[in-house]
Every structure is written in C-alpha cells, then in structure tokens.
Amino acid sequence: MSDETTPASGSGGAGPEAGSAKGTAAKGAALAREKLAQAKSDAARRGQLPRREPRRKASGPARASGDPQLLGRAIADLLADRKWEEPVAVGGVFGRWHEIVGADMAAHTKPQSFTDGEVLVLADSTAWATQVRLLAGTLVRRLNEELGDGTVKRVNVQGPQAGPRPSGGLRVTGSRGPGDTYG
C-alpha cells in the first residue's frame, strides 16, 4: 500500500472535527511546556531551583494503607513503639495530682518520682507527711485505678528536709522548735 491511500488529516477517517481537536490538544500541550519552561527559568533567576535529588521517604514503620491515621492512634502507636506508655501515664497522673488526691492534700504534697512501682511524695510538713502515710493504702489503690492494676506497689512519703532553725536572739535556749513542722 502506498501513502496516498491514508487520509491526509491523520484522524483515522473520523472527519475534520477530530483533526482539529488533535491540533488544539497539540497546541495546548506545546503552550503548557512553554509556560513550564518559563516558570523554571524565572525560579532559576530568583535562585529557587527545583529539587534535583528525589525526596527521601519518611522513616518509621510503613502503614498498610495510604489512608491517613487518626492523631490519637498515631500517638498511641508511637508510644508503643518507643515503650513510653508507662512514663507518659505516670506524667499524666503527676500533672493531675490535685484531681486525684483532692485540693487540700495537693496543696501540701507533691509527687516527686516513680521508680520500680514506688511513688515518692514530698510533704511540706511532718503533719501532712503523717496524713499521707496513713492514707497510703487508699492512695495506692487510687493511683492503680488511674495507671492500671499493680503499677503502684508502694508510696514513700518524705517530710520537709530542712532541720530545726538555728538558735537566735529570740529563741529559747534548748527548745526544739515547732514540733509539727520540723519534729
């Protein structure tokens, strides 16, 4: 067969409309390439060259689907991967201390640390230290309600660490100071 038998419009015999549509599409593609080249040259003049190296993939475990995760679920997965669940839970309890023990006790006590199932609580007076020691069983039970059963095994309470005030001009010689605070 010779080239003379093929249609001149290149439309595959579909008529003159198909030939003009292909021509318009070709003009549009050429215009788009021209605009893209112009935008790249403008960016190069401003010093904003397009990236040459491929983007790095995010590190971490790959998700099975491409759908976004809920924020709470993503945080829970992060905490589980790094084994931070218990320290975060303990920090949350320490942050809500006033809600857990009540406003009166929270005004005079402060949780200091949590190590191997033991919570260290500092009291601002010996009277409050004694009160917390008497309520230690209840406090352990309440903390385990918040953190999970068996997390807290013991409450260690410490009173004020400053000893009696040094004797001065207005002090009675031989007195031990106020017994409810430093005794």
Side-chain angles (χ1 to χ4, degrees):
M1 291 188 99
S2 71
D3 288 334
E4 296 174 278
T5 58
T6 59
S9 65
S11 64
E17 296 88 25
S20 85
K22 282 188 178 181
T24 305
K27 288 179 187 177
L31 182 62
R33 280 192 292 277
E34 180 183 323
K35 292 296 182 183
L36 178 62
Q38 182 182 0
K40 284 183 178 180
S41 67
D42 290 345
R45 251 183 284 130
R46 290 190 309 263
Q48 298 174 338
L49 294 176
R51 194 184 278 256
R52 297 277 182 214
E53 70 277 356
R55 292 183 183 260
R56 296 183 318 174
K57 298 216 181 228
S59 62
R63 292 196 319 252
S65 77
D67 292 337
Q69 289 184 333
L70 296 173
L71 180 62
R73 175 65 186 206
I75 290 174
D77 290 347
L78 174 70
L79 295 177
D81 290 344
R82 308 255 170 115
K83 297 179 177 44
W84 289 345
E85 291 108 338
E86 186 175 288
V88 168
V90 169
V93 166
F94 283 11
R96 295 182 302 114
W97 184 251
H98 66 282
E99 294 173 16
I100 294 169
V101 299
D104 291 339
M105 189 178 287
H108 299 283
T109 61
K110 179 173 91 171
Q112 185 67 28
S113 65
F114 176 79
T115 310
D116 298 328
E118 180 177 280
V119 175
L120 175 63
V121 178
L122 300 180
D124 62 2
S125 71
T126 55
W128 277 103
T130 302
Q131 182 72 16
V132 174
R133 285 185 194 108
L134 292 172
L135 296 172
T138 306
L139 186 56
V140 167
R141 189 177 67 248
R142 180 68 178 102
L143 290 172
N144 280 330
E145 287 173 6
E146 294 288 327
L147 297 172
D149 201 28
T151 305
V152 177
K153 296 174 181 72
R154 185 169 185 270
V155 174
N156 182 7
V157 184
Q158 291 184 353
Q161 299 301 314
R165 294 185 302 195
S167 61
L170 299 177
R171 303 258 317 155
V172 175
T173 306
S175 83
R176 293 182 33 202
D180 70 334
T181 305
Y182 298 105

